[in-house]
Amino acid sequence: MTDGTASKRVTLAVTGAGGTGAAKRLLVALQDDGRVEQVHLVVSPAGRKLVAFEFGAAEDPQSVARALGASSPKIQVHDPEDLTAPIVSGSYRNDAMVVLPCAAGVLGRVAQGQAEDLIERAADVQLKQRRTLLLCLREAPLNLIHLRNMVAVTEAGAIVYPMIPTYYNVPETLAELQEELVERLLEMLGLPRTDRYAWDGSGTPARREHAAAR
């Protein structure tokens, strides 16, 4: 039982699609946030290969976790084949789950209820328990199968949040694109940190900062 004031528990899953730098930024933000009690980190085998490639790290789980910035005891790393982890059960309070990046194949299996590993089972649990599930699809262009799978998971209660950058904030670096994505995801998780990217009718603080620097 909880009293309604408990800190959040969040699962972060990293799958085999490009853009793991954004996952690192989100993981670091979650582990540094006092409102977050625990972070469950699950990296698929293909995700490990992507992390190793994008960060120049080894592919073993410990090296991958370090490359993603894991440095807090609140982070619990799980083997994607371990179906005994607490996040496989609806009786375990897991407030939110983010799949970042989300491969199209993972999206499809979640859409069809095919829980073949810990990531897909945890996502299935989030849906059946009516809890927050963000799927950050990294795929382009989209074919009809992708679109239908996106509709299916949305109807089931997930939020499809493609890794599509915005441009009105005039981003100049990859880091800025990742930062804005992470800030928007945190807001959707109920963990807002800044209003730098909030539109106020004429612009955003981030846009004005860039304009003033030119």
Side-chain angles (χ1 to χ4, degrees):
M1 299 291 289
T2 64
D3 60 4
T5 62
S7 298
K8 289 184 179 291
R9 296 174 181 170
V10 180
T11 295
L12 173 60
V14 180
T15 68
T20 59
K24 177 176 182 176
R25 284 182 176 272
L26 180 58
L27 181 64
V28 171
L30 291 172
Q31 74 177 2
D32 291 345
D33 195 320
R35 296 167 293 181
V36 177
E37 169 189 343
Q38 191 168 38
V39 182
H40 295 278
L41 175 64
V42 193
V43 185
S44 73
R48 288 200 295 267
K49 290 182 180 295
L50 261 295
V51 171
F53 177 77
E54 294 184 357
F55 288 99
E59 290 185 21
D60 62 280
Q62 293 76 20
S63 296
V64 167
R66 286 195 298 270
L68 289 173
S71 62
S72 168
K74 71 168 64 173
I75 297 178
Q76 187 172 354
V77 180
H78 299 284
D79 185 324
E81 300 303 318
D82 181 10
L83 294 179
T84 66
I87 55 177
V88 305
S89 175
S91 64
Y92 177 80
R93 178 178 62 82
N94 186 51
D95 299 293
M97 178 175 181
V98 184
V99 185
L100 171 67
C102 181
V106 174
L107 169 72
R109 288 187 290 276
V110 173
Q112 300 301 317
Q114 298 180 25
E116 297 182 0
D117 63 10
L118 178 58
I119 293 173
E120 293 157 13
R121 171 56 185 171
D124 189 60
V125 169
Q126 292 299 107
L127 293 177
K128 80 182 185 71
Q129 297 298 128
R130 311 303 194 263
R131 295 170 181 161
T132 300
L133 173 63
L134 301 180
L135 302 176
C136 300
L137 182 65
R138 212 298 302 152
E139 189 63 82
L142 300 170
N143 64 36
L144 186 57
I145 295 171
H146 300 145
L147 296 170
R148 285 175 172 162
N149 286 335
M150 291 166 70
V151 170
V153 295
T154 300
E155 290 176 337
I159 298 172
V160 179
Y161 200 115
M163 296 175 69
I164 299 174
T166 64
Y167 296 100
Y168 59 82
N169 288 305
V170 198
E172 297 177 346
T173 65
L174 176 60
E176 289 176 334
L177 291 174
Q178 293 175 342
E179 178 187 1
E180 181 182 355
L181 171 66
V182 167
E183 293 298 338
R184 291 181 180 276
L185 293 175
L186 289 170
E187 184 174 3
M188 298 200 78
L189 296 174
L191 297 167
R193 295 197 309 178
T194 179
D195 63 355
R196 287 192 72 241
Y197 305 101
W199 183 262
D200 61 11
S202 62
T204 67
R207 180 183 175 86
R208 284 188 282 271
E209 287 175 15
H210 284 130
R214 290 182 172 180

